[in-house]
Amino acid sequence: MSFYPSTVASGGDKGGFCGVVAEGRVAGLLSVPAAASECNENAAAGAEGGGVGASSWETTVSAATVELIEEKAGRSSWSLENRQFRYWLLDRLHGLLPYESRERACHRISSDSSSVTLNRATGKARYCGVCRCENPWVCPLCAPIIQAARAEQVSSVLKWGHAEGVAFLKLAFTCAHELGDPLADLLDRQVKALRSFKGARAVRLLLREIGFIGSVTSKEATWGPSAGWHPHQHEYWMCSRVDGVDLDLLKAKLSAQWSRACERQGLYANPAFGLYLGRRKEDEIKAGAESGYLTKSGTAAGYLVKSGTAAAIELAGGAYKQASKPHKQGHLSPMELLATDRPWADELFLEFYRAFKGRKQLVFSRAILRIYGDLFGTEPGEDWEPVEVDNGYQKDDEVVIALDYGRLNALREAKKAVTVLELVESGRIREAADLVERVWADWVDERYRRAVAWYRADGAAFGPDPAYQDGVVLW
């Protein structure tokens, strides 16, 4: 990737690479408040007051976790909708993962067509043409995009089932675990136990009785200080003959089979607590309130949304789930572990990253895939697809600042990436472009000073004379 300046997009200045594009056409389209949100003090300070309004939703974690987060980050709220916080989490992620991991390149490497775009319809700015890791488990920027798409897919299936008079059973599978149990080992044995459970003749007969059609499943894991990792699987079963079925009796029979399946894998599942079963109310499905059970995540609809697409959110976003029951308030989700910024939490987060890497987050059964294909003429697709769409230019997008690799990296290191977006959203596009150039100049100076120091450390009497091309230092 070249560091050389080149011509900016049509309509911009020619004095530098970071050109302002179509400022006059964009500035008048915005009605975004100029005051920065309460959780964006750092960005607001860097922009001298520029920013956007407070986020539309936020959530609160356990008091102990809030203390740890506030001590490091100086924030009074914990919200994945807060852009400044998500970029802070991304920096934490880059610092923890191995150098060769794909996630370390997320939003750090650009293409020749990288830019800051502003959507004229929504007034939102974003970076286009940058590398995306497409990890639905740990990336605070890519995962919400993936989970928002998955929430829509699950919600559409639920609403179709309601319209057709199909019932949905909500299930959760778990087993006993202790502090110190390796997460990867627990997951592998649970997968084998679930395969054994669903293949058992007694279970197949029960499924036939309730008219089982298909299922949507998702895995997740939280960590607690008393019992360690708590991996479990959420499922929705689509059934045609549930009316009149004694659900308590059905749960007892399924729980007995689940306990036997776990025993065969060296696990223990309490018949009373190892399996949860309940029926979703039709009015809740009609309102879309249950889509969050499947994709509980930092989606566009919200973090741990309780309405709208709440069933889809439970299934597709286990990494972002927050403990909601009193006896689980001490449990931390992987994103809470990442935000805690303590050595023990870092080790646990890396364990989660290694254990879930390569695993599918949301799985549609074959019957559900056929139904989805009949409804939309396509399959739900892979995780990279919604990220690829978000990374490309969309309808009503306007390129306002063109970027290269060096300037993008400089913004990231200076922690000004969010500030630039907020300035653009507030209509201060010229100021945003100037900020990019100032940050770039400081970054070049610092790089040159480092190079001189390295030469002198190797015994050179003087630092090398800087080589310039088009006003840019070459190393």
Side-chain angles (χ1 to χ4, degrees):
M1 180 64 65
S2 172
F3 283 82
Y4 306 156
S6 63
T7 306
V8 299
S10 177
D13 291 349
K14 309 299 182 184
F17 187 96
C18 177
V20 178
V21 182
E23 179 178 6
R25 283 180 288 160
V26 175
L29 298 174
L30 303 174
S31 59
V32 183
S37 66
E38 180 182 352
C39 296
N40 286 342
E41 293 92 347
N42 295 337
E48 297 179 357
V52 297
S55 60
S56 58
W57 52 262
E58 59 185 30
T59 188
T60 306
V61 298
S62 61
T65 306
V66 169
E67 279 188 65
L68 294 173
I69 296 170
E70 288 181 345
E71 179 180 339
K72 176 65 179 178
R75 297 178 178 87
S76 57
S77 68
W78 199 92
S79 168
L80 282 178
E81 181 65 12
N82 182 283
R83 190 158 48 191
Q84 186 76 19
F85 184 63
R86 283 189 285 123
Y87 272 81
W88 177 77
L89 283 178
L90 186 66
D91 286 339
R92 291 268 303 125
L93 185 69
H94 289 164
L96 286 178
L97 298 185
Y99 179 79
E100 65 277 6
S101 65
R102 179 181 177 88
E103 292 78 13
R104 280 182 63 97
C106 190
H107 281 76
R108 297 179 72 172
I109 299 177
S110 64
S111 66
D112 292 332
S113 59
S114 300
S115 61
V116 177
T117 64
L118 180 68
N119 189 284
R120 297 191 303 271
T122 63
K124 292 293 184 180
R126 59 193 178 90
Y127 291 98
C128 288
V130 298
C131 179
R132 301 289 186 96
C133 67
E134 301 155 5
N135 190 316
W137 295 108
V138 299
C139 181
L141 297 185
C142 294
I145 298 169
I146 296 169
Q147 290 149 8
R150 293 288 180 254
E152 281 295 320
Q153 293 165 356
V154 174
S155 180
S156 63
V157 171
L158 293 176
K159 291 179 179 178
W160 172 88
H162 169 70
E164 295 295 321
V166 176
F168 289 90
L169 296 179
K170 169 183 171 182
L171 296 94
F173 297 87
T174 187
C175 60
H177 46 88
E178 296 179 351
L179 191 64
D181 287 344
L183 176 59
D185 180 60
L186 285 174
L187 280 174
D188 291 339
R189 287 195 284 172
Q190 270 196 10
V191 168
K192 294 177 182 178
L194 281 163
R195 189 179 299 122
S196 174
F197 167 79
K198 293 180 180 179
R201 183 172 181 275
V203 173
R204 294 202 303 270
L205 290 174
L206 289 172
L207 294 181
R208 189 178 305 169
E209 289 179 12
I210 61 176
F212 177 78
I213 300 172
S215 64
V216 187
T217 67
S218 132
K219 292 181 178 64
E220 65 180 61
T222 57
W223 182 87
S226 59
W229 286 108
H230 172 54
H232 48 289
Q233 179 159 308
H234 293 280
E235 298 194 7
Y236 259 117
W237 288 3
M238 182 184 291
C239 307
S240 60
R241 294 193 298 270
V242 174
D243 292 337
V245 173
D246 186 342
L247 292 184
D248 291 334
L249 180 59
L250 176 63
K251 177 186 175 182
K253 292 179 179 179
L254 291 174
S255 295
Q257 294 298 322
W258 171 238
S259 297
R260 294 191 188 100
C262 287
E263 287 176 8
R264 286 192 285 268
Q265 301 301 326
L267 301 172
Y268 172 72
N270 189 315
F273 306 109
L275 184 146
Y276 166 83
L277 184 145
R279 182 176 179 180
R280 307 319 308 162
K281 297 178 181 179
E282 291 184 356
D283 56 344
E284 291 176 341
I285 294 175
K286 186 175 181 179
E290 290 308 316
S291 58
Y293 179 69
L294 306 181
T295 56
K296 192 172 297 180
S297 64
T299 66
Y303 179 73
L304 284 181
V305 177
K306 300 304 181 184
S307 62
T309 56
I313 292 176
E314 172 90 10
L315 273 185
Y320 297 84
K321 181 181 176 183
Q322 181 187 10
S324 57
K325 299 177 182 177
H327 66 283
K328 292 184 178 179
Q329 286 302 316
H331 289 213
L332 300 176
S333 71
M335 279 297 131
E336 289 174 324
L337 290 172
L338 179 62
T340 299
D341 195 11
R342 287 290 188 275
W344 58 268
D346 293 347
E347 290 298 323
L348 291 170
F349 178 82
L350 288 173
E351 183 180 1
F352 173 86
Y353 169 77
R354 290 188 289 264
F356 276 83
K357 186 176 182 180
R359 298 181 188 266
K360 284 193 173 183
Q361 190 178 61
L362 194 69
V363 179
F364 295 84
S365 69
R366 293 178 183 177
I368 301 295
L369 287 176
R370 286 195 296 270
I371 292 171
Y372 191 89
D374 292 340
L375 288 174
F376 303 103
T378 182
E379 292 189 355
E382 300 296 331
D383 288 342
W384 61 266
E385 294 180 8
V387 177
E388 191 73 16
V389 170
D390 183 79
N391 201 29
Y393 297 108
Q394 301 173 4
K395 182 182 178 181
D396 297 321
D397 274 356
E398 184 112 27
V399 176
V400 294
I401 301 176
L403 296 172
D404 63 356
Y405 169 79
R407 284 167 173 79
L408 180 67
N409 210 25
L411 288 174
R412 183 195 61 80
E413 290 190 9
K415 304 189 187 307
K416 298 296 183 182
V418 177
T419 305
V420 170
L421 296 180
E422 292 180 341
L423 286 172
V424 170
E425 289 175 345
S426 63
R428 300 156 68 181
I429 300 173
R430 174 67 62 183
E431 190 174 338
D434 292 342
L435 175 61
V436 172
E437 289 303 310
R438 289 199 306 271
V439 170
W440 163 246
D442 293 342
W443 188 78
V444 170
D445 290 343
E446 177 60 26
R447 283 296 183 106
Y448 179 66
R449 284 194 292 270
R450 290 183 190 176
V452 171
W454 291 336
Y455 271 83
R456 290 176 177 170
D458 289 339
F462 302 96
D465 293 333
Y468 289 93
Q469 179 171 336
D470 297 330
V472 177
V473 178
L474 305 178
W475 292 281

